[in-house]
Amino acid sequence: MAKKTDRICIIGGGPAGLSMAMYLEKKGFTNYEIYERLNKVGGKAYSPKIKVNTGEEKTFETGAIMGAITYHAVSEMEEFGGYYHKGPDFKPGEPNMRREFRNTDGSKDDPFNPKFNFSIGKTINLLKLKKQFKKLKHLMATKYKGYDCYGHVGVAQGKYNGISKVVNGYDEESTEEVSFPNYVKGENPNLKDLALSFSDFCKLNKVEEVQRIWIAPYTSFGYGYFDEIPAAYVMKYLDVTTAAEFVKLRLWTWEDGTQAIYTHVNEKLAHPAHLNTEVVKVVREDGKKIQVTLKENGTERVEEFDKLIVTTPLDHFKDFADSTNEEKELFSKIRHEEYVDFIATFDENKSPVISGYLLENMKKENLGHAMVYYNRWEYLKTNCPCTVYALRNHVDMEDVPYDTTISNMMKDMEKVGFPVKERLYEQESYYCPHVTPKDYADGWYDKLDALQGTKNTYYAGEILSFGDMEDTCAASKDIVSRFFNEE
């Protein structure tokens, strides 16, 4: 157990690290320090400002974009920092989440509107989709009861144990007893099915059509392909309630960008993050203080701590810490997505005026091609920059080179009718850390949980639950709730 006098080192100033500090503070653990090697907080929630056609500067997104009614932990961070979302009912001039669908030849489509390019076949398929969505909703509430809590501990054993993410009163299945922030616990052998890839999970339950709903908010936003990702990740991120909110476009966004959530939290913390400060070495000897070597402005120094919380990628932990063989073996199984995006301007009067999905490019056969473009400021009409996204890796395929991916994305946007004039910002991100269906079924998460607290070290971050803001922050809440209780 931790003591409130313990000095705590938090590695990483992204959503996981800052939420960890916030939850520690709320429980009276204020003797902590956060170290961030970059010159900013927020991690992949980065929202650069760019001058637009009105002459004013507007924020654009390069990682995190949206939220929904199920974003409970993010709501707690909003409250702490005093900075709140817009939506789901957007006012004129606010960023919003409206979108269209386009084929790769530039023609418009709407696969979910029976009146758009009407045909009997399309109508029949939509009725089939609606029936299967209803079936899946019922299955998740009954056969897979307990699936919609944060985290993965116990799932491979047919158990659930975590913080509920249910919205009280949202539908007939949600009640106060199982709603956030209550802990739910129980056994359900059917939960083992969640270790299957999402495509196999849907096939098992004869709801293959629902992948058409889940793919746009999942694959296009960098979380991988359904034949390689365990269903647990898909359904815990896009639980039935959240998926329905995506379909209905009842979403949140943040006028000053998602990064502003974390800059506001950081400003309110008792000990804001140390920026431009890299952890270059960690030594954890039994019975001694944890020695953390820090590098700042080219100078190294050593600080001593009682507890260590790692929120940065665990598969990189061995690069700077005295990892045990058990840690090395476990963390070596982590995979991640290579997600590429750029913010671009377009030829005169040829920019997107609304966000758009390119569903054809969300197949693994079109790996390394543009999947979605995000126009954050629809009210500006034309000549406004937007962000374009692509994935370039798949577990069974050779990675598409970064430069080839950028070239493909440029050509894709031209084919769609939006020729890129200039790329203002581009990046590749370490995205959505996860394990394979086999490693998930073998109890990877239970093995990780068994390591929590050994050598006075705690593991947090995206891999603990899922690589979005909400699940990442909720994982921090769970770690603090379980392990930081002074006797």
Side-chain angles (χ1 to χ4, degrees):
M1 286 293 181
K3 297 187 287 237
K4 289 185 178 176
T5 55
D6 283 345
R7 191 165 189 238
I8 304 168
C9 173
I10 301 173
I11 305 178
L18 296 181
S19 59
M20 185 66 72
M22 179 189 77
Y23 288 122
L24 284 170
E25 271 195 28
K26 287 185 173 184
K27 293 193 73 171
F29 290 84
T30 58
N31 190 15
Y32 65 83
E33 301 291 343
I34 310 167
Y35 298 108
E36 169 56 53
R37 67 180 179 84
L38 301 179
N39 64 354
K40 62 181 180 67
V41 296
K44 287 189 286 290
Y46 176 45
S47 312
K49 288 188 175 182
I50 295 173
K51 187 174 290 187
V52 297
N53 52 24
T54 60
E56 59 187 326
E57 286 191 329
K58 292 286 188 181
T59 54
F60 289 79
E61 300 289 31
T62 63
I65 291 176
M66 65 195 81
I69 194 172
T70 49
Y71 276 47
H72 308 291
V74 169
S75 292
E76 291 184 332
M77 297 199 76
E78 288 183 320
E79 187 68 30
F80 184 89
Y83 171 69
Y84 302 92
H85 62 268
K86 302 289 184 179
D89 299 316
F90 296 98
K91 298 180 177 61
E94 294 178 346
N96 68 53
M97 295 305 304
R98 289 182 65 245
R99 80 289 188 263
E100 64 182 8
F101 297 88
R102 284 187 182 259
N103 300 311
T104 52
D105 63 4
S107 59
K108 290 186 179 182
D109 193 8
D110 192 338
F112 305 112
N113 182 354
K115 296 180 181 179
F116 195 98
N117 291 334
F118 172 81
S119 72
I120 297 297
K122 181 178 182 180
T123 301
I124 291 173
N125 286 336
L126 285 174
L127 289 173
K128 184 178 179 181
L129 174 61
K130 184 176 181 180
K131 182 178 180 180
Q132 289 192 11
F133 180 85
K134 186 176 181 180
K135 178 182 178 181
L136 180 63
K137 181 179 180 181
H138 176 71
L139 286 172
M140 300 314 293
T142 54
K143 181 179 179 181
Y144 297 107
K145 179 183 177 181
Y147 86 98
D148 51 355
C149 62
Y150 296 96
H152 305 274
V153 175
V155 175
Q157 302 175 48
K159 301 176 182 179
Y160 59 94
N161 181 11
I163 302 173
S164 170
K165 65 187 302 183
V166 172
V167 180
N168 182 30
Y170 188 80
D171 57 34
E172 59 187 25
E173 284 89 15
S174 57
T175 63
E176 185 175 354
E177 287 73 27
V178 295
S179 297
F180 185 89
N182 291 337
Y183 269 86
V184 290
K185 183 177 183 179
E187 294 191 17
N188 181 356
N190 293 321
L191 291 175
K192 296 178 183 180
D193 294 346
L194 292 172
L196 295 169
S197 71
F198 186 57
S199 57
D200 286 344
F201 177 82
C202 291
K203 185 177 181 180
L204 173 71
N205 288 291
K206 296 181 171 56
V207 290
E208 294 98 320
E209 291 295 314
V210 302
Q211 295 174 80
R212 294 169 54 196
I213 293 175
W214 263 257
I215 194 169
Y218 193 89
T219 298
S220 73
F221 285 104
Y223 299 124
Y225 296 87
F226 291 156
D227 65 330
E228 62 175 349
I229 298 290
Y233 294 111
V234 181
M235 293 309 302
K236 284 177 176 289
Y237 165 51
L238 287 175
D239 58 280
V240 173
T241 300
T242 306
E245 294 297 279
F246 272 87
V247 171
K248 297 173 185 176
L249 289 180
R250 291 186 53 81
L251 301 171
W252 302 349
T253 188
W254 289 265
E255 189 156 10
D256 293 330
T258 52
Q259 186 183 5
I261 303 170
Y262 306 102
T263 56
H264 279 75
V265 167
N266 192 50
E267 290 167 358
K268 296 292 179 66
L269 289 172
H271 305 289
H274 300 273
L275 303 181
N276 299 304
T277 306
E278 182 179 4
V279 174
V280 296
K281 187 177 181 180
V282 171
V283 177
R284 302 165 296 167
E285 295 183 20
D286 291 339
K288 296 183 180 181
K289 297 275 189 179
I290 298 170
Q291 305 287 317
V292 179
T293 303
L294 305 164
K295 186 175 182 179
E296 184 179 13
N297 297 322
T299 302
E300 292 189 1
R301 71 178 189 275
V302 177
E303 298 274 353
E304 291 188 338
F305 294 91
D306 301 293
K307 305 290 182 184
L308 177 70
I309 300 175
V310 186
T311 74
T312 52
L314 297 184
D315 43 333
H316 294 173
F317 187 55
K318 68 182 187 310
D319 298 337
F320 60 85
D322 57 347
S323 300
T324 64
N325 290 334
E326 192 174 5
E327 286 173 328
K328 289 176 182 176
E329 181 182 0
L330 196 63
F331 300 163
S332 69
K333 297 181 183 298
I334 298 173
R335 288 183 45 79
H336 67 272
E337 301 301 326
E338 301 288 353
Y339 197 38
V340 178
D341 64 271
F342 60 69
I343 302 172
T345 58
F346 301 84
D347 288 352
E348 190 75 16
N349 298 322
K350 289 188 177 180
S351 64
V353 294
I354 187 174
S355 302
Y357 289 122
L358 304 176
L359 291 176
E360 294 173 69
N361 282 347
M362 296 179 202
K363 305 171 185 175
K364 65 180 181 181
E365 292 78 11
N366 289 337
L367 188 67
H369 283 267
M371 298 184 298
V372 62
Y373 48 91
Y374 175 41
N375 182 350
R376 183 167 159 76
W377 303 103
E378 185 186 346
Y379 84 98
L380 293 175
K381 306 299 181 186
T382 191
N383 298 327
C384 182
C386 79
T387 313
V388 186
Y389 303 84
L391 273 170
R392 71 175 193 90
N393 69 314
H394 183 281
V395 67
D396 296 324
M397 300 171 68
E398 203 171 304
D399 291 2
V400 179
Y402 176 84
D403 290 343
T404 302
T405 302
I406 292 290
S407 177
N408 289 342
M409 295 165 72
M410 298 275 284
K411 292 174 183 176
D412 291 337
M413 294 306 289
E414 185 170 8
K415 288 178 184 176
V416 173
F418 309 124
V420 172
K421 180 179 180 181
E422 181 182 5
R423 299 195 306 274
L424 305 176
Y425 174 88
E426 67 181 64
Q427 68 173 359
E428 179 176 54
S429 302
Y430 173 104
Y431 223 75
C432 189
H434 61 277
V435 297
T436 65
K438 181 183 182 303
D439 289 328
Y440 195 104
D442 286 345
W444 189 91
Y445 277 95
D446 299 303
K447 295 171 186 175
L448 174 64
D449 200 58
L451 286 180
Q452 295 284 13
T454 57
K455 288 186 171 289
N456 287 312
T457 302
Y458 300 87
Y459 314 99
E462 295 175 272
I463 187 66
L464 265 288
S465 190
F466 187 74
D468 72 323
M469 297 190 299
E470 171 61 17
D471 290 76
T472 296
C473 295
S476 296
K477 182 183 181 79
D478 177 61
I479 295 300
V480 171
S481 298
R482 289 199 291 143
F483 298 109
F484 288 83
N485 298 291
E486 188 175 49
E487 290 183 334

